Amino acid sequence: MFGKLYSTLIFILFFCHEPSDAQRKKETLLSEKVTQMMDWTSKRSVIRMNGEKFRRFVKAPPRNYSVFIMFTALQPQRQCGVCKQADEEFHVLANSWHYSSAFTNRIFFASVDFDEGSDVFQMLNMNSAPTFLHFPPKGKPRQSDTYELQVRGFSADQLARWVADRTDVQIRVMRPPNYAGPLLLGFLLAVIGGLAYLRRNNLEFLFNKNVWAFSALSYIHGSSQAQFVAETHIVLLFNGAVTAGIILLCEAATSDIDTGKRKIMCVAGMCLVMLCFSWLLSIFRAKYHGYPYSFLMG
């Protein structure tokens, strides 16, 4: 009796734990998808996707991994300068994860360009770029899975914080070394040293406050890295004009020249400060409220 009961119990346990054909097929499909995603990531830290890849590896189950996708428009005819800058930061983040010791197949990074996957944009009712979305392992993306680009910016560090919020995966951002700053500083020091040597018998210009005021404009803080190159130069010129206006106002108040010239200097200084400073505010307002770049679908 006990032998029959034992045999029946073994039979039930065996067939209850044996995976069904559907379960085995699901596991095989998932393994193939993960293997393919890992293979693509080994070649490029950011996987380039079109409509077919997106539907198969992101939309269709099964999936046990998260995918962070940047929707962009990098073709020259789209004229999306912000897309290029966001793409660079997104690659910095993806490379930091790819070469991290904590790298796993838990998350992947991908991009969909409008000209290569316009059907994906239409599927998601998306008409702006760049846009960052997180597709979780299960279920549909929620509102918090859409990155707030206009609020948080698109730096790799901010994107890494967003990834940590959505997946608890901590990514330490590693940037390639940039030697432009030290080289520029060395060049400026060499120029200043050369001028000081040539005029070593007359160094009164070193004590001229106007010289130091304009020299300070050659320094551009690292936070300007998210600007266009042309925009950086324009902002630099406006800062120079504001500085020149302040210098004129100070000279008008302290110099011993005649009253007529002091009035002209005062009016010119006020105009430079008010006009150029208002233009600077307009640029910053447009920068932080004017993107993402929108375009018509079609």
Side-chain angles (χ1 to χ4, degrees):
M1 178 177 180
F2 288 104
K4 291 183 179 180
L5 182 62
Y6 179 77
S7 300
T8 304
L9 182 61
I10 294 298
F11 178 82
I12 295 174
L13 291 176
F14 177 77
F15 281 97
C16 286
H17 285 80
E18 184 180 10
S20 62
D21 291 340
Q23 181 67 24
R24 286 196 297 266
K25 185 180 295 186
K26 180 179 179 180
E27 293 177 355
T28 301
L29 178 59
L30 178 60
S31 177
E32 292 176 353
K33 292 172 70 172
V34 172
T35 301
Q36 182 63 76
M37 294 286 283
M38 290 292 289
D39 181 61
W40 284 332
T41 303
S42 66
K43 300 173 183 177
R44 295 173 58 96
S45 57
V46 177
I47 303 170
R48 296 182 62 174
M49 286 192 170
N50 52 23
E52 181 182 355
K53 290 182 179 178
F54 178 81
R55 284 186 288 270
R56 180 181 176 187
F57 293 93
V58 179
K59 291 288 290 182
R63 192 176 74 251
N64 62 354
Y65 50 85
S66 292
V67 185
F68 291 88
I69 301 183
M70 178 182 66
F71 296 87
T72 185
L74 293 174
Q75 296 301 317
Q77 65 268 22
R78 299 299 172 186
Q79 299 181 355
C80 182
V82 177
C83 292
K84 296 179 180 178
Q85 297 175 345
D87 181 69
E88 293 176 0
E89 291 296 304
F90 192 64
H91 274 79
V92 168
L93 176 64
N95 287 330
S96 299
W97 171 242
H98 185 202
Y99 297 106
S100 170
S101 58
F103 174 75
T104 64
N105 57 10
R106 183 178 174 184
I107 65 173
F108 295 98
F109 294 91
S111 66
V112 176
D113 191 273
F114 176 75
D115 292 281
E116 297 177 358
S118 58
D119 52 338
V120 181
F121 279 75
Q122 294 175 358
M123 183 192 310
L124 300 175
N125 295 321
M126 191 177 302
N127 61 356
S128 63
T131 300
F132 300 92
L133 290 181
H134 168 235
F135 293 86
K138 296 181 181 179
K140 297 181 179 180
R142 303 177 181 178
Q143 184 177 358
S144 54
D145 289 311
T146 300
Y147 182 71
E148 297 177 341
L149 182 64
Q150 297 185 8
V151 176
R152 307 177 69 170
F154 50 75
S155 70
D157 299 278
Q158 291 290 349
L159 289 170
R161 295 188 184 95
W162 175 58
V163 171
D165 292 339
R166 306 312 307 149
T167 63
D168 293 328
V169 174
Q170 303 291 333
I171 301 177
R172 180 183 177 186
V173 176
M174 297 177 291
R175 297 181 181 275
N178 185 1
Y179 301 104
L183 289 175
L184 179 60
L185 179 61
F187 175 76
L188 290 176
L189 291 176
V191 171
I192 294 174
L195 291 175
Y197 177 77
L198 293 175
R199 300 190 60 178
R200 58 186 179 277
N201 297 325
N202 183 13
L203 298 178
E204 294 181 359
F205 74 97
L206 293 177
F207 302 96
N208 190 319
K209 60 184 179 181
N210 295 337
V211 172
W212 286 105
F214 282 104
S215 299
L217 295 175
S218 61
Y219 175 76
I220 304 176
H221 193 269
S223 61
S224 64
Q225 63 183 351
Q227 296 176 338
F228 302 116
V229 175
E231 181 185 347
T232 301
H233 295 159
I234 293 172
V235 170
L236 178 62
L237 290 176
F238 283 163
N239 283 333
V242 171
T243 303
I246 294 175
I247 291 174
L248 288 175
L249 290 174
C250 293
E251 289 293 326
T254 58
S255 63
D256 297 330
I257 58 178
D258 60 272
T259 305
K261 292 182 179 180
R262 292 172 63 183
K263 289 182 179 180
I264 294 174
M265 293 173 64
C266 183
V267 173
M270 291 178 62
C271 291
L272 283 174
V273 172
M274 290 189 298
L275 290 177
C276 295
F277 191 72
S278 63
W279 285 338
L280 280 174
L281 292 179
S282 300
I283 290 175
F284 293 137
R285 189 182 305 115
K287 179 176 178 59
Y288 290 104
H289 297 281
Y291 63 77
Y293 172 74
S294 298
F295 49 88
L296 295 176
M297 305 286 293

